[in-house]
Every structure is written in C-alpha cells, then in structure tokens.
C-alpha cells in the first residue's frame, strides 16, 4: 500500500517535472540549443527510473521523447520533421534514454537484492550465534524459532515433536518444515499466521535454510538432555559402588570375628557350623553386591589371556572342596592323555567366579543326594563348560529371567541362601569376556547351565 | 617349646580372633598396632611367624612387607579384606608368603600357619633330596619321579618346573616367579601360556585326579603352589 502510494507520488512528481521543464523551455525554443532540453529530460528519466522503477522509467522515456519531438523539434507543435539531422538527435535521445533507464533500473534492483542478501546473511549469522551460544539449550532453540518467525513475518512459530506432527493436519495459514539434523528427525517447525502466508521461492529457500539451524538447536536440546541423564546415571552408579565398597569392608570386619569364633566352637557347640555357614553367606552376599555394582559401573578390569580349561575346572573343584561339597561334583574327563590340552581365552579369576557360581547354583537347587556333572566341550570357536544338575529344572519362559539380578524362581525355598545374584554375575562376567552363560533343560530332569568362552590355541 | 609370633594389626577384634585361632601353650605373642612399631619389634625379637594386616594406619602394607623381609626370614602371612589378585601378586613379590582374606575361619588360618612353619622346619633340616608325598616319590638329586611305584617320564622343562614348585613347596609362587625359574629372563612371547600348558601336562602325569589336583594347586590370578599334605587334615 505504501509502495503504491510512494509510486503514485513518484509518477506525479517526475511527470510533473517533465511538464515544468517543458513549460520553462517553451519561450526559448526558437534559439535554444536542443542539448539543454535533451540533457534535462534525460536527468528526469534517470531520476524517475532510480526512484520509481522500470515502468516509470519507460513511461518518462516515451513522454520525454514525444514531448521533445512535439515541442522542440521543427516543425514546432507537430510531429512532422523538417530537418533530417533531427532524426539522428531524436534517435540518439530515445536510445540513450532507454539504455540509461534500463541501467539505472537494473542497478536499483541489484542494490535491493544485495541488501536483501546482506540481511539474510546477518540473520543466518545471528541464528548461528544463537545456536552455538553457551546458554541453555532450550533458550537457544526458542531464540532460533523466534528469528525464523520474524523473518517469515508470521504470528506464531513452534516446534512440534514428531509423534504429534503425524496426527496434526496442515491447517490453513500454516507452514510446516520437517527438521532433520545429522540424519535424525528432530521434530517439525510449524509457522502459523492469522491470514494466508505467501512466500516467494527465494523466501521459502531461505526459511528452509533457517529451519536447518532450528534442527541443530533442537538436536542440541536432545543431546544435552541425554548427556545430563547419562552423567546423572554414572554419578549415581559411582556413588553406589563407593558406598557398597565401604559397606563391604564394614561388614567383613565383624563377620571375621563371628566366623572365627564360630569355627573355634565347632566341636563344642552343634549350632556353630550353622553360624559359620550363615557368616559365609553374608560374606558372599556382600561380595556379590559389590561386584555386581562394580560391573554395572564398568569398574571391573578384565584381562583375558590364554588359559587351560583343565586349570579352570580344577580350581572350580577346589572351591567345591573348600565348601565341603566336592563329593557331589563329578568331572567328566575331557583332556585325553595324548592330545594337547584344551585352551581358551579368559580372565582366570572372573571365569572361575562365573563357573563356581554355576556349580554352586546347581548344588544348591538339586537334591542333596544327587550329583552335579561338569563337562567340557571344545569346538571351532568356543569352549563350553556345562554344569548339569538333577534339580527341578527351569521352565521355558523363565530361561532368560533367571539371569536377572535378584530373580528368584516362584516357589523356590526361601532359605536356599544367596540373593539371586549368582547367575546374573556369572552371565555379566562371561559376556565381558566375549562369552555367555545359557541354560537348557536336561533329558531325564534338571538343568544344564553352560558357560561358553572363546577358544584359543597354543 | 613355644613360638614367638608377631601380630601387626590395628583393629582389636581381629587381634583377639587371630590370637584365639593360633594360640598354643608356651607361645610368646608380640603385638603392634602400627607398621613402624611392628618393624621395630621384628628387628628386636626375631619372631618365627609374622601375621600382618594390610589396613594399617601409618604405612602401606606393601612397604611394611618389604621392610620386614629385609630384616627377617620368618614366614609373613598377610590379612586383607580385599579380594584383589593384583595386590596378592605384588605382596608375594614383596616377600609375603601367604595371603588370607577376611573373613577367614580359624581352622583355615591354623592350617595355613602350620603349613608355613612346617615348610621352614623342613627347609632347615633338609634343603633338598627326596620328597615323598602320598604315592609320589620325587628324588631331586637323581631327577626321578615315581607314582605308585611306577616311574613317570618327565620332559626336561616339566622337570624344571616341578623342581621349582617343590623347592618352594607350601608357598605360592607367582606366574612371573615360576616363569623366570623355568625359562629365565628375557624371553619374549606369552609366558603365561607356556606355563599353563606345562602345568596341565605335569598334572596329567603326577596327579591321581588331574581334574581335582591336590599337589599342584592353582591360586587363581596369582600363581601355583606345591602343597604339602597337612597331617591334621584327616582330623
């Protein structure tokens, strides 16, 4: 509206100027050099083109041309020409006027375009600064959206998460920009206005570029949230690990006293054996809690080396012997005399822990008069240590559940000891060494827990 | 005839437990609540056995161990709440003879102490020669081994390994120490691997049940030990 008004003013002004010049020169047209007239008219054409645009420039060109022709070229007050030379003057004037008008108009358009580009670059720079600003990620995102909104000249701008964007229809007077940053969806930018929004292609392209910054800002919000959560998790885990380690020491000192006294009373007091056993159980529980916590915090260094399977089996038997249960553990021979010993890649202490947990589990959950079989099988890639018991077996749907920390099979007797951590720790330790612990049923009743570790050769 | 026992322990309840476990009539007990006092007592009184707790207030257990080893040849038994193999290895290298984790049973502690005292006695009486362990008859001078009367053929490396274990019987030798004893210094490759393979071969030949070894015992993460049978085991 203002443009139109301004345009009208320019038209009236410059045409009026032409008229005024014509009136001014009219009395002198007999003796005046046509150069004065042509140059003055040219100035008006230039001025009109510069301020009023191409249309005005063209209009002024032709008005000036015919005005000059009519009033100032013989024969005066008509469009007939008397001198042939005047043809050249007229033609020169027309061409000069047209070219000048064109050049000025173009220069004006170029200048306007350059200003628009500068403004775009400044906008991009300011958005870039907002995106990278060290302020809170949410504030930066809001600032970016605000810059986009004002650039588009719309009433509202907001970021819709993907889940809502799919169900929302594109309403009238809305622009939707899907945002993607680093190959990941970051939501949809919705610009809404009270009236229809018309954008030129150049504006749409520019807004799409700005939307990319919005995507980066949105991604930054998400990453900051993830990082904060991960840090909080890590700190909580580290705190838990250190608390448990302190607890472990504080528990073990009184346990030492209890256990030592109980073992001294073994011959004299029938309950002494039970006291010692329960002290051992508490000790194991404290150890398991600390270890599981440290494993979860990633604080357990695992150094896998080439080890002999027979060594691991022997150490597991030794553990069972220490717990006075070796007579219930039977090893199926696997290292035939002539053949090279079966070797595997593992951290001895941690693999022994895992295997002992499986053996203990088997002994605990099977009848006291039954035997637990330990066998070893080597194939191309792995060495499998299988612990088979004649216990109640594991239901198919529980096969994965038993490896969850603190899981206790429903219906299991409450005094079987431990806290349900043995299998969880065994599996974690196995997996940290590129192995695993799995369970299957046993023909004839019971379960077979298998510890697999990567095979090795000498 | 009583023994002189030095106990370096700062926590009173543990002191009581250890004394109770190891007490036998005629023994002389020296106790110190700090490392420096313990060292002073060791230097002044020449104890036959030292029990050292690692959680001392003034000095690092490793430092105390090394300093003790410098002034006395007595067996050093270390007590610790931590199940840390790296620490065990470090202590054994620093001169400790054994490592007991808390909580421990008094029976276990007594058995270990007996084993070490027997070892030092045996070493004092007869440093080398013939060793009879159950069915196994090892003659280090003639370099022969018989099991149940039948001769056992050992490869040269297997023999060196067995001798090293037997020479230090009752004491845990770290992987490093054993490897050095058999293959010497400056060998490249994966030392642990060779050692483990040879231990397995040795067990097959001299153990009654290689899967339940009683002679060559594994100390997980630390090393191996040639165990002497405890006469009190059958009790």
């Amino acid at each position: 509206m203002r443009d139109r008004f301004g345009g009208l003013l320019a038209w009236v002004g410059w045409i009026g100027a032409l008229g005024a010049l014509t009136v001014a020169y009219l009395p002198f047209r007999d003796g005046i050099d046509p150069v004065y007239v042509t140059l003055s008219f040219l100035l008006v054409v230039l001025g009109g083109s510069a301020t009023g645009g191409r249309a005005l420039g063209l209009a002024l060109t032709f008005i000036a041309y015919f005005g000059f022709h009519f009033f100032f070229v013989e024969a005066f007050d008509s469009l007939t020409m008397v001198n042939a030379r005047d043809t050249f003057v007229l033609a020169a004037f027309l061409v000069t006027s047209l070219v000048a008008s064109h050049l000025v108009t173009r220069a004006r358009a170029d200048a306007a375009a350059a200003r628009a580009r500068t403004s775009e670059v400044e906008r991009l720079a300011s958005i870039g600064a907002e995106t990278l600003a060290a302020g809170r990620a949410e504030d930066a995102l809001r600032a970016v959206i605000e810059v986009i909104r004002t650039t588009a000249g719309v009433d509202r701008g907001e970021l819709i998460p993907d889940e809502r964007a799919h169900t929302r229809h594109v309403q009238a007077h809305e622009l939707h920009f899907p945002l993607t940053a680093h190959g990941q969806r970051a939501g949809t930018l919705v610009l809404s206005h009270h009236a229809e929004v018309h954008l030129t292609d150049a504006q749409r392209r520019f807004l799409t570029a700005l939307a990319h910054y919005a995507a980066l800002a949105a991604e930054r919000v998400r990453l900051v949230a993830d990082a904060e959560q991960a840090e909080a998790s890590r700190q909580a885990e580290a705190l838990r690990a250190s608390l448990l380690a302190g607890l472990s020491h504080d528990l073990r000192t009184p346990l030492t006293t209890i256990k030592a006294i109980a073992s001294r009373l073994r011959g004299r007091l029938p309950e002494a054996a039970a006291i010692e056993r329960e002290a051992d159980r508490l000790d194991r529980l404290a150890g398991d809690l600390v270890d599981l916590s440290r494993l979860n915090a990633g604080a357990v260094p695992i150094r896998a080396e080439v080890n002999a399977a027979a060594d691991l089996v022997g150490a597991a038997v030794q553990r069972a012997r220490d717990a006075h249960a070796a007579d219930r553990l039977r090893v199926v021979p696997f290292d035939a005399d002539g053949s090279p010993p079966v070797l595997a890649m593992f951290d001895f202490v941690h693999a022994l822990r895992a295997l002992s947990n499986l053996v203990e589990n088997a002994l605990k959950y099977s009848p006291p008069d039954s035997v637990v079989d330990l066998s070893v099988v080597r194939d191309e890639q792995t060495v499998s240590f299988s612990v088979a018991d004649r216990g109640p077996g594991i239901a198919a749907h529980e096969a994965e559940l038993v490896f969850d920390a603190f899981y206790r099979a429903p219906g299991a007797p409450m005094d079987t000891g431990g806290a349900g951590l043995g299998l969880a720790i065994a599996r974690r330790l196995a997996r940290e060494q590129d192995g695993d612990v799995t369970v299957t049923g046993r023909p004839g009743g019971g379960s077979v827990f298998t510890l697999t570790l990567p095979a090795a050769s000498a | 005839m009583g023994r002189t026992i030095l106990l370096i322990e700062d926590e009173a309840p543990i002191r009581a437990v250890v004394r109770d476990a190891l007490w036998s009539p005629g023994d002389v007990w020296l106790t110190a609540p700090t490392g420096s006092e313990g060292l002073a007592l060791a230097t002044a009184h020449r104890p036959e056995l030292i029990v050292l707790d690692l959680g001392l207030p003034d000095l690092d257990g490793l430092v105390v161990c090394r300093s003790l080893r410098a002034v006395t040849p007595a067996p050093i038994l270390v007590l610790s709440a931590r199940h840390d193999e790296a620490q065990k290895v470090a202590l054994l290298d620093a001169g400790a003879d054994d490592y007991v984790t808390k909580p421990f049973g008094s029976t276990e502690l007594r058995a270990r102490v007996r084993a070490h005292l027997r070892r030092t006695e045996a070493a004092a009486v007869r440093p080398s020669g013939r060793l009879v362990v159950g069915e196994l008859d090892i003659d280090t001078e003639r370099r022969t081994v018989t099991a149940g009367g039948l001769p056992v053929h050992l490869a040269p490396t297997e023999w060196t390994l067995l001798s090293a274990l037997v020479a230090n019987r009752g004491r845990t030798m770290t992987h490093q120490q054993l490897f050095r004893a058999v293959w010497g210094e400056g060998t490249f490759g994966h030392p642990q691997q060779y050692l483990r393979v040879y231990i397995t071969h040795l067990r097959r030949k001299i153990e009654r049940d290689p899967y339940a070894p009683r002679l060559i015992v594994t100390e997980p993460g630390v090393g191996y030990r040639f165990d002497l049978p405890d006469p009190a085991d059958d009790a």
Side-chain angles (χ1 to χ4, degrees):
Chain A
M1 179 71 171
R2 200 159 52 90
D3 274 347
R4 293 248 174 111
F5 192 68
L8 194 61
L9 197 64
W11 281 71
V12 166
W14 289 107
I15 293 173
L18 266 183
L21 276 172
T22 310
V23 166
Y25 283 128
L26 219 46
F28 308 99
R29 62 177 169 179
D30 280 329
I32 198 173
D33 192 329
V35 165
Y36 289 102
V37 183
T38 53
L39 285 178
S40 319
F41 279 13
L42 210 51
L43 276 174
V44 172
V45 169
L46 285 174
S49 305
T51 58
R54 182 181 300 276
L56 179 57
L58 269 178
L60 286 170
T61 300
F62 284 105
I63 294 174
Y65 173 75
F66 283 110
F68 178 63
H69 192 11
F70 191 81
F71 289 107
F72 297 95
V73 170
E74 293 170 3
F76 293 147
D77 300 327
S78 83
L79 286 176
T80 41
M81 267 192 302
V82 175
N83 293 326
R85 188 195 66 161
D86 290 335
T87 317
F88 178 71
V89 173
L90 279 169
F93 173 73
L94 186 62
V95 168
T96 311
S97 191
L98 282 171
V99 169
S101 166
H102 171 73
L103 286 174
V104 167
T105 311
R106 229 198 41 196
R108 185 167 170 263
D110 282 350
R115 268 197 306 280
R117 262 201 301 283
T118 309
S119 149
E120 283 181 13
V121 169
E122 280 171 1
R123 280 283 163 97
L124 276 172
S126 83
I127 285 202
E130 297 279 3
T131 313
L132 296 170
R136 280 164 45 80
E138 290 88 358
D139 294 340
L141 177 61
R142 258 197 296 277
V144 169
I145 293 178
E146 182 58 19
V147 170
I148 295 177
R149 185 193 70 75
T150 49
T151 305
V154 296
D155 295 328
R156 275 185 60 194
E158 58 180 322
L159 182 67
I160 310 283
D162 272 342
E163 309 79 67
R164 280 169 55 199
H166 288 146
T167 55
R168 203 181 135 126
H169 304 292
V170 181
Q171 299 169 13
H173 313 155
E174 270 189 1
L175 290 168
H176 282 220
F177 291 92
L179 303 179
T180 310
H182 298 124
Q184 278 215 7
R185 292 277 321 174
T188 305
L189 177 63
V190 176
L191 299 174
S192 45
H193 199 49
H194 66 274
E196 261 202 83
V197 187
H198 294 287
L199 294 175
T200 64
D201 277 346
Q203 280 178 309
R204 209 175 265 279
R205 268 201 306 276
F206 182 54
L207 280 174
T208 308
L210 289 180
H212 182 64
Y213 276 102
L216 288 174
E219 201 202 17
R220 186 180 156 216
V221 169
R222 184 181 61 81
L223 287 174
V224 165
D226 283 351
E228 281 174 352
Q229 191 175 25
E231 176 64 17
S233 258
R234 195 197 60 80
Q235 280 184 356
E237 205 49 65
L239 181 64
R240 193 181 329 166
S242 96
L243 278 174
L244 283 175
L247 186 69
S248 166
H249 175 267
D250 291 339
L251 267 177
R252 285 189 160 135
T253 306
L255 276 177
T256 309
T257 314
I258 293 171
K259 184 175 158 143
I261 295 174
S263 74
R264 272 229 312 155
L265 293 171
R266 253 178 183 266
R268 291 179 266 154
L269 188 69
E271 293 86 346
I275 295 174
E276 200 179 345
R277 223 175 27 243
E278 295 303 293
D280 277 340
R281 191 171 140 197
L282 275 175
D283 179 42
R284 289 271 319 294
L285 180 57
D288 280 356
L289 282 172
V290 171
D291 289 343
L292 193 59
S293 186
R294 285 176 65 221
L295 275 169
N296 282 336
V300 174
I302 307 264
R303 273 205 335 260
E305 296 171 314
V306 175
N307 273 291
D311 211 348
L312 187 66
V313 166
V317 170
Q318 177 68 45
R319 282 271 171 94
R321 201 186 294 145
D322 289 343
H324 311 290
D327 48 340
R328 285 185 59 203
L329 182 61
R330 179 169 60 200
V331 176
V332 176
F334 56 90
D335 254 352
D337 258 342
S339 59
V342 174
L343 299 176
M345 195 79 173
F346 54 88
D347 179 311
F348 198 97
V349 171
H350 293 114
L352 177 60
R353 179 79 186 279
L355 187 57
S356 294
N357 282 6
L358 295 184
V359 168
E360 246 170 64
N361 209 58
L363 290 169
K364 201 156 61 185
Y365 287 99
S366 58
D369 57 343
S370 66
V371 163
V372 170
D373 288 311
L374 174 53
S375 54
V376 177
V377 169
R378 188 208 202 277
D379 67 24
E380 269 291 313
Q381 313 271 23
T382 57
V383 175
S384 307
F385 299 79
S386 296
V387 178
D389 65 69
R390 288 287 173 207
I394 310 258
H397 66 274
E398 283 186 313
E400 282 302 305
L401 291 172
V402 288
F403 294 104
D404 286 343
F406 301 111
Y407 178 83
R408 222 191 247 307
M414 281 308 288
D415 63 347
T416 40
L421 290 175
L423 288 177
I425 290 179
R427 179 175 260 191
R428 274 306 291 269
L429 287 171
R431 285 188 173 168
E432 294 275 329
Q433 302 174 70
D434 295 327
D436 203 355
V437 174
T438 50
V439 62
T440 58
R442 189 182 188 190
S447 323
V448 181
F449 281 86
T450 305
L451 165 69
T452 43
L453 293 166
S457 27
Chain B
M1 220 217 23
R3 315 165 289 192
T4 309
I5 304 179
L6 169 60
L7 172 58
I8 310 179
E9 166 66 65
D10 65 322
E11 293 186 59
I14 311 283
R15 273 206 299 270
V17 163
V18 173
R19 279 185 67 141
D20 268 347
L22 300 179
W23 183 84
S24 108
D27 281 342
V28 174
W29 278 85
L30 307 164
T31 50
T34 65
S36 27
E37 276 184 57
L39 275 169
L41 285 173
T43 321
H45 297 275
R46 304 258 167 253
E48 275 134 86
L49 170 74
I50 303 175
V51 179
L52 165 68
D53 192 318
L54 283 192
L56 294 171
D58 62 335
L59 292 173
D60 178 46
L62 212 58
V63 170
V64 177
C65 208
R66 239 178 254 130
S67 316
L68 281 171
R69 191 38 83 223
V71 300
T72 166
I76 302 174
L77 203 88
V78 170
L79 302 176
S80 170
R82 282 168 58 187
H83 298 253
D84 187 340
E85 281 66 35
Q87 189 184 60
K88 274 189 220 175
V89 170
L91 284 162
L92 288 173
D93 276 338
D97 292 86
D98 209 341
Y99 184 108
V100 177
T101 40
K102 294 190 263 195
F104 48 80
S106 36
T107 330
E108 185 192 346
L109 188 62
R110 267 204 300 277
R112 305 262 208 140
V113 163
R114 258 205 308 276
H116 287 289
L117 289 175
R118 250 200 335 271
R119 184 171 60 81
T120 37
E121 279 162 23
V125 168
R126 193 179 49 228
S128 66
R130 212 159 142 213
L131 178 70
V132 177
V133 181
E135 299 186 329
L136 203 65
D137 190 329
I138 305 174
D139 191 328
T140 51
E141 275 167 33
R142 296 212 316 230
R143 297 168 71 99
T144 58
V145 179
T146 50
L150 298 169
V152 173
H153 173 71
L154 292 180
T157 315
E158 290 167 356
W159 174 257
T160 318
L161 180 55
L162 182 61
S163 314
L165 284 165
V166 165
N168 288 277
R169 55 189 176 276
R171 208 174 153 274
T172 302
M173 289 186 77
T174 65
H175 291 121
Q176 264 310 90
Q177 289 168 351
L178 268 174
F179 186 80
R180 241 181 274 132
V182 178
W183 282 278
E185 305 274 359
T187 319
F188 301 102
H190 301 280
Q192 320 293 353
Q193 208 169 310
Y194 298 140
L195 183 60
R196 287 160 194 166
V197 168
Y198 275 101
I199 289 279
T200 313
H201 283 309
L202 205 50
R203 276 177 172 153
R204 279 188 200 171
K205 292 184 178 177
I206 68 170
E207 293 274 6
R208 176 194 292 220
D209 181 357
Y211 300 117
R214 285 189 172 273
L215 295 168
I216 302 176
V217 170
T218 305
E219 242 336 292
V222 179
Y224 298 96
R225 179 175 71 242
F226 193 93
D227 249 359
L228 290 173
D230 190 349
D233 258 349
D234 309 317

